PDB file of all heavy atoms in Angstrom:
ATOM      1  N   VAL L 881      -2.164  -5.729   3.902  1.00  0.00           N
ATOM      2  CA  VAL L 881      -2.412  -5.077   5.176  1.00  0.00           C
ATOM      3  C   VAL L 881      -3.166  -6.072   6.032  1.00  0.00           C
ATOM      4  O   VAL L 881      -2.879  -6.152   7.233  1.00  0.00           O
ATOM      5  CB  VAL L 881      -3.440  -3.796   4.968  1.00  0.00           C
ATOM      6  CG1 VAL L 881      -3.912  -3.268   6.300  1.00  0.00           C
ATOM      7  CG2 VAL L 881      -2.696  -2.688   4.185  1.00  0.00           C
ATOM      8  N   ASN L 882      -4.214  -6.788   5.498  1.00  0.00           N
ATOM      9  CA  ASN L 882      -4.957  -7.777   6.225  1.00  0.00           C
ATOM     10  C   ASN L 882      -4.051  -8.988   6.814  1.00  0.00           C
ATOM     11  O   ASN L 882      -4.313  -9.555   7.781  1.00  0.00           O
ATOM     12  CB  ASN L 882      -6.116  -8.327   5.403  1.00  0.00           C
ATOM     13  CG  ASN L 882      -7.119  -7.253   5.085  1.00  0.00           C
ATOM     14  OD1 ASN L 882      -7.214  -6.301   5.880  1.00  0.00           O
ATOM     15  ND2 ASN L 882      -7.892  -7.418   4.008  1.00  0.00           N
ATOM     16  N   GLN L 883      -2.962  -9.193   5.964  1.00  0.00           N
ATOM     17  CA  GLN L 883      -2.072 -10.271   6.387  1.00  0.00           C
ATOM     18  C   GLN L 883      -1.003  -9.825   7.554  1.00  0.00           C
ATOM     19  O   GLN L 883      -0.202 -10.471   8.009  1.00  0.00           O
ATOM     20  CB  GLN L 883      -1.307 -10.814   5.209  1.00  0.00           C
ATOM     21  CG  GLN L 883      -2.160 -11.628   4.325  1.00  0.00           C
ATOM     22  CD  GLN L 883      -1.344 -12.180   3.154  1.00  0.00           C
ATOM     23  OE1 GLN L 883      -0.140 -12.688   3.264  1.00  0.00           O
ATOM     24  NE2 GLN L 883      -1.853 -12.176   1.934  1.00  0.00           N
ATOM     25  N   LYS L 884      -1.182  -8.383   7.876  1.00  0.00           N
ATOM     26  CA  LYS L 884      -0.409  -7.834   8.807  1.00  0.00           C
ATOM     27  C   LYS L 884       1.104  -7.833   8.442  1.00  0.00           C
ATOM     28  O   LYS L 884       1.971  -8.056   9.253  1.00  0.00           O
ATOM     29  CB  LYS L 884      -0.516  -8.478  10.211  1.00  0.00           C
ATOM     30  CG  LYS L 884      -1.978  -8.405  10.581  1.00  0.00           C
ATOM     31  CD  LYS L 884      -2.123  -8.817  12.127  1.00  0.00           C
ATOM     32  CE  LYS L 884      -3.619  -8.831  12.567  1.00  0.00           C
ATOM     33  NZ  LYS L 884      -4.460  -7.728  12.223  1.00  0.00           N
ATOM     34  N   CYS L 885       1.393  -7.586   7.139  1.00  0.00           N
ATOM     35  CA  CYS L 885       2.784  -7.378   6.731  1.00  0.00           C
ATOM     36  C   CYS L 885       3.376  -6.115   7.393  1.00  0.00           C
ATOM     37  O   CYS L 885       2.586  -5.150   7.479  1.00  0.00           O
ATOM     38  CB  CYS L 885       2.870  -7.208   5.126  1.00  0.00           C
ATOM     39  SG  CYS L 885       2.428  -8.689   4.313  1.00  0.00           S
ATOM     40  N   ASP L 886       4.526  -6.117   7.833  1.00  0.00           N
ATOM     41  CA  ASP L 886       5.143  -5.056   8.526  1.00  0.00           C
ATOM     42  C   ASP L 886       5.582  -3.962   7.480  1.00  0.00           C
ATOM     43  O   ASP L 886       5.334  -2.767   7.696  1.00  0.00           O
ATOM     44  CB  ASP L 886       6.469  -5.487   9.309  1.00  0.00           C
ATOM     45  CG  ASP L 886       6.179  -6.499  10.298  1.00  0.00           C
ATOM     46  OD1 ASP L 886       5.456  -6.056  11.250  1.00  0.00           O
ATOM     47  OD2 ASP L 886       6.610  -7.648  10.290  1.00  0.00           O
ATOM     48  N   PHE L 887       5.946  -4.367   6.252  1.00  0.00           N
ATOM     49  CA  PHE L 887       6.435  -3.378   5.268  1.00  0.00           C
ATOM     50  C   PHE L 887       5.802  -3.755   3.896  1.00  0.00           C
ATOM     51  O   PHE L 887       5.857  -4.976   3.521  1.00  0.00           O
ATOM     52  CB  PHE L 887       7.934  -3.282   5.128  1.00  0.00           C
ATOM     53  CG  PHE L 887       8.467  -2.391   4.147  1.00  0.00           C
ATOM     54  CD1 PHE L 887       8.925  -1.165   4.489  1.00  0.00           C
ATOM     55  CD2 PHE L 887       8.547  -2.779   2.680  1.00  0.00           C
ATOM     56  CE1 PHE L 887       9.465  -0.245   3.592  1.00  0.00           C
ATOM     57  CE2 PHE L 887       9.132  -1.952   1.862  1.00  0.00           C
ATOM     58  CZ  PHE L 887       9.608  -0.682   2.182  1.00  0.00           C
ATOM     59  N   ILE L 888       5.029  -2.988   3.275  1.00  0.00           N
ATOM     60  CA  ILE L 888       4.422  -3.237   2.089  1.00  0.00           C
ATOM     61  C   ILE L 888       4.917  -2.276   1.007  1.00  0.00           C
ATOM     62  O   ILE L 888       4.866  -1.128   1.113  1.00  0.00           O
ATOM     63  CB  ILE L 888       2.766  -3.023   2.207  1.00  0.00           C
ATOM     64  CG1 ILE L 888       2.237  -3.908   3.171  1.00  0.00           C
ATOM     65  CG2 ILE L 888       2.114  -3.326   0.800  1.00  0.00           C
ATOM     66  CD1 ILE L 888       0.765  -3.679   3.552  1.00  0.00           C
ATOM     67  N   LEU L 889       5.561  -2.988  -0.086  1.00  0.00           N
ATOM     68  CA  LEU L 889       6.141  -2.267  -1.123  1.00  0.00           C
ATOM     69  C   LEU L 889       5.378  -2.406  -2.432  1.00  0.00           C
ATOM     70  O   LEU L 889       4.947  -3.443  -2.885  1.00  0.00           O
ATOM     71  CB  LEU L 889       7.590  -2.902  -1.417  1.00  0.00           C
ATOM     72  CG  LEU L 889       8.315  -2.298  -2.513  1.00  0.00           C
ATOM     73  CD1 LEU L 889       8.770  -0.909  -2.208  1.00  0.00           C
ATOM     74  CD2 LEU L 889       9.659  -3.207  -2.823  1.00  0.00           C
ATOM     75  N   ALA L 890       5.059  -1.235  -2.973  1.00  0.00           N
ATOM     76  CA  ALA L 890       4.321  -1.023  -4.193  1.00  0.00           C
ATOM     77  C   ALA L 890       5.479  -0.687  -5.233  1.00  0.00           C
ATOM     78  O   ALA L 890       6.286   0.061  -4.968  1.00  0.00           O
ATOM     79  CB  ALA L 890       3.266   0.111  -4.177  1.00  0.00           C
ATOM     80  N   VAL L 891       5.286  -1.223  -6.432  1.00  0.00           N
ATOM     81  CA  VAL L 891       6.289  -1.058  -7.494  1.00  0.00           C
ATOM     82  C   VAL L 891       5.739  -0.349  -8.708  1.00  0.00           C
ATOM     83  O   VAL L 891       4.832  -0.870  -9.396  1.00  0.00           O
ATOM     84  CB  VAL L 891       6.899  -2.427  -7.863  1.00  0.00           C
ATOM     85  CG1 VAL L 891       8.189  -2.136  -8.771  1.00  0.00           C
ATOM     86  CG2 VAL L 891       7.443  -3.148  -6.667  1.00  0.00           C
ATOM     87  N   GLY L 892       6.201   0.911  -8.960  1.00  0.00           N
ATOM     88  CA  GLY L 892       5.944   1.524 -10.173  1.00  0.00           C
ATOM     89  C   GLY L 892       4.991   2.615 -10.082  1.00  0.00           C
ATOM     90  O   GLY L 892       4.140   2.639  -9.195  1.00  0.00           O
ATOM     91  N   GLY L 893       5.138   3.671 -10.955  1.00  0.00           N
ATOM     92  CA  GLY L 893       4.399   4.900 -10.844  1.00  0.00           C
ATOM     93  C   GLY L 893       2.942   4.639 -11.007  1.00  0.00           C
ATOM     94  O   GLY L 893       2.088   5.435 -10.591  1.00  0.00           O
ATOM     95  N   LEU L 894       2.637   3.566 -11.759  1.00  0.00           N
ATOM     96  CA  LEU L 894       1.184   3.323 -11.975  1.00  0.00           C
ATOM     97  C   LEU L 894       0.468   2.970 -10.702  1.00  0.00           C
ATOM     98  O   LEU L 894      -0.857   3.047 -10.635  1.00  0.00           O
ATOM     99  CB  LEU L 894       1.072   2.119 -12.921  1.00  0.00           C
ATOM    100  CG  LEU L 894       1.486   2.358 -14.421  1.00  0.00           C
ATOM    101  CD1 LEU L 894       1.408   1.113 -15.251  1.00  0.00           C
ATOM    102  CD2 LEU L 894       0.643   3.493 -15.062  1.00  0.00           C
ATOM    103  N   MET L 895       1.138   2.621  -9.687  1.00  0.00           N
ATOM    104  CA  MET L 895       0.602   2.198  -8.391  1.00  0.00           C
ATOM    105  C   MET L 895       0.476   3.410  -7.504  1.00  0.00           C
ATOM    106  O   MET L 895      -0.012   3.163  -6.255  1.00  0.00           O
ATOM    107  CB  MET L 895       1.427   1.125  -7.764  1.00  0.00           C
ATOM    108  CG  MET L 895       1.394  -0.229  -8.482  1.00  0.00           C
ATOM    109  SD  MET L 895       1.916  -1.555  -7.524  1.00  0.00           S
ATOM    110  CE  MET L 895       0.637  -1.748  -6.270  1.00  0.00           C
ATOM    111  N   GLN L 896       0.811   4.591  -7.885  1.00  0.00           N
ATOM    112  CA  GLN L 896       0.788   5.741  -6.931  1.00  0.00           C
ATOM    113  C   GLN L 896      -0.592   5.998  -6.195  1.00  0.00           C
ATOM    114  O   GLN L 896      -0.748   6.165  -5.085  1.00  0.00           O
ATOM    115  CB  GLN L 896       1.217   7.035  -7.499  1.00  0.00           C
ATOM    116  CG  GLN L 896       1.193   8.261  -6.603  1.00  0.00           C
ATOM    117  CD  GLN L 896       1.967   9.396  -7.162  1.00  0.00           C
ATOM    118  OE1 GLN L 896       3.192   9.311  -7.425  1.00  0.00           O
ATOM    119  NE2 GLN L 896       1.240  10.565  -7.397  1.00  0.00           N
ATOM    120  N   ASP L 897      -1.684   6.081  -7.047  1.00  0.00           N
ATOM    121  CA  ASP L 897      -2.928   6.382  -6.583  1.00  0.00           C
ATOM    122  C   ASP L 897      -3.511   5.336  -5.643  1.00  0.00           C
ATOM    123  O   ASP L 897      -3.997   5.734  -4.546  1.00  0.00           O
ATOM    124  CB  ASP L 897      -3.941   6.666  -7.685  1.00  0.00           C
ATOM    125  CG  ASP L 897      -3.664   7.944  -8.483  1.00  0.00           C
ATOM    126  OD1 ASP L 897      -2.830   8.739  -8.004  1.00  0.00           O
ATOM    127  OD2 ASP L 897      -4.126   7.995  -9.620  1.00  0.00           O
ATOM    128  N   ALA L 898      -3.316   4.144  -5.980  1.00  0.00           N
ATOM    129  CA  ALA L 898      -3.791   2.982  -5.129  1.00  0.00           C
ATOM    130  C   ALA L 898      -3.014   2.954  -3.814  1.00  0.00           C
ATOM    131  O   ALA L 898      -3.539   2.691  -2.802  1.00  0.00           O
ATOM    132  CB  ALA L 898      -3.616   1.700  -5.799  1.00  0.00           C
ATOM    133  N   THR L 899      -1.704   3.228  -3.875  1.00  0.00           N
ATOM    134  CA  THR L 899      -0.954   3.088  -2.683  1.00  0.00           C
ATOM    135  C   THR L 899      -1.269   4.347  -1.781  1.00  0.00           C
ATOM    136  O   THR L 899      -1.421   4.201  -0.621  1.00  0.00           O
ATOM    137  CB  THR L 899       0.639   3.347  -3.117  1.00  0.00           C
ATOM    138  OG1 THR L 899       0.932   2.253  -3.890  1.00  0.00           O
ATOM    139  CG2 THR L 899       1.457   3.192  -1.692  1.00  0.00           C
ATOM    140  N   LYS L 900      -1.538   5.498  -2.381  1.00  0.00           N
ATOM    141  CA  LYS L 900      -1.900   6.679  -1.601  1.00  0.00           C
ATOM    142  C   LYS L 900      -3.176   6.395  -0.858  1.00  0.00           C
ATOM    143  O   LYS L 900      -3.369   6.682   0.375  1.00  0.00           O
ATOM    144  CB  LYS L 900      -2.073   7.999  -2.456  1.00  0.00           C
ATOM    145  CG  LYS L 900      -2.389   9.201  -1.728  1.00  0.00           C
ATOM    146  CD  LYS L 900      -2.362  10.388  -2.669  1.00  0.00           C
ATOM    147  CE  LYS L 900      -2.602  11.683  -1.949  1.00  0.00           C
ATOM    148  NZ  LYS L 900      -2.465  12.916  -2.931  1.00  0.00           N
ATOM    149  N   LYS L 901      -4.184   5.801  -1.494  1.00  0.00           N
ATOM    150  CA  LYS L 901      -5.467   5.526  -0.912  1.00  0.00           C
ATOM    151  C   LYS L 901      -5.318   4.507   0.175  1.00  0.00           C
ATOM    152  O   LYS L 901      -5.926   4.608   1.242  1.00  0.00           O
ATOM    153  CB  LYS L 901      -6.404   4.933  -2.031  1.00  0.00           C
ATOM    154  CG  LYS L 901      -7.835   4.837  -1.533  1.00  0.00           C
ATOM    155  CD  LYS L 901      -8.678   4.513  -2.757  1.00  0.00           C
ATOM    156  CE  LYS L 901     -10.218   4.257  -2.345  1.00  0.00           C
ATOM    157  NZ  LYS L 901     -11.107   3.919  -3.512  1.00  0.00           N
ATOM    158  N   ALA L 902      -4.565   3.401  -0.057  1.00  0.00           N
ATOM    159  CA  ALA L 902      -4.330   2.372   0.948  1.00  0.00           C
ATOM    160  C   ALA L 902      -3.690   2.946   2.134  1.00  0.00           C
ATOM    161  O   ALA L 902      -3.971   2.630   3.299  1.00  0.00           O
ATOM    162  CB  ALA L 902      -3.615   1.204   0.397  1.00  0.00           C
ATOM    163  N   ALA L 903      -2.618   3.761   1.927  1.00  0.00           N
ATOM    164  CA  ALA L 903      -1.979   4.358   3.130  1.00  0.00           C
ATOM    165  C   ALA L 903      -2.679   5.300   3.839  1.00  0.00           C
ATOM    166  O   ALA L 903      -2.583   5.266   5.080  1.00  0.00           O
ATOM    167  CB  ALA L 903      -0.688   5.127   2.509  1.00  0.00           C
ATOM    168  N   ALA L 904      -3.574   6.133   3.260  1.00  0.00           N
ATOM    169  CA  ALA L 904      -4.434   6.972   3.983  1.00  0.00           C
ATOM    170  C   ALA L 904      -5.471   6.243   4.722  1.00  0.00           C
ATOM    171  O   ALA L 904      -5.756   6.722   5.993  1.00  0.00           O
ATOM    172  CB  ALA L 904      -5.100   7.939   2.926  1.00  0.00           C
ATOM    173  N   ALA L 905      -5.857   5.099   4.363  1.00  0.00           N
ATOM    174  CA  ALA L 905      -6.847   4.317   5.041  1.00  0.00           C
ATOM    175  C   ALA L 905      -6.257   3.544   6.224  1.00  0.00           C
ATOM    176  O   ALA L 905      -6.880   3.147   7.170  1.00  0.00           O
ATOM    177  CB  ALA L 905      -7.493   3.395   4.152  1.00  0.00           C
ATOM    178  N   HIS L 906      -4.856   3.362   6.162  1.00  0.00           N
ATOM    179  CA  HIS L 906      -4.218   2.608   7.304  1.00  0.00           C
ATOM    180  C   HIS L 906      -2.895   3.390   7.618  1.00  0.00           C
ATOM    181  O   HIS L 906      -1.772   3.002   7.262  1.00  0.00           O
ATOM    182  CB  HIS L 906      -3.794   1.331   6.685  1.00  0.00           C
ATOM    183  CG  HIS L 906      -5.011   0.384   6.186  1.00  0.00           C
ATOM    184  ND1 HIS L 906      -5.902  -0.218   6.986  1.00  0.00           N
ATOM    185  CD2 HIS L 906      -5.368   0.214   4.858  1.00  0.00           C
ATOM    186  CE1 HIS L 906      -6.747  -0.849   6.239  1.00  0.00           C
ATOM    187  NE2 HIS L 906      -6.490  -0.614   4.943  1.00  0.00           N
TER     188      HIS L 906
END
């Protein structure tokens, strides 16, 4: 996010919670 990537891909079900948190913040 800080590098200003246009599309950030998370891989795997283990990343769901972290992705949800990051997405909600941004």
Side-chain angles (χ1 to χ4, degrees):
V881 172
N882 294 336
Q883 289 182 42
K884 303 193 184 314
C885 289
D886 296 301
F887 181 95
I888 300 174
L889 178 65
V891 186
L894 294 175
M895 293 194 68
Q896 176 167 305
D897 292 344
T899 304
K900 184 173 185 177
K901 189 172 178 182
H906 305 282

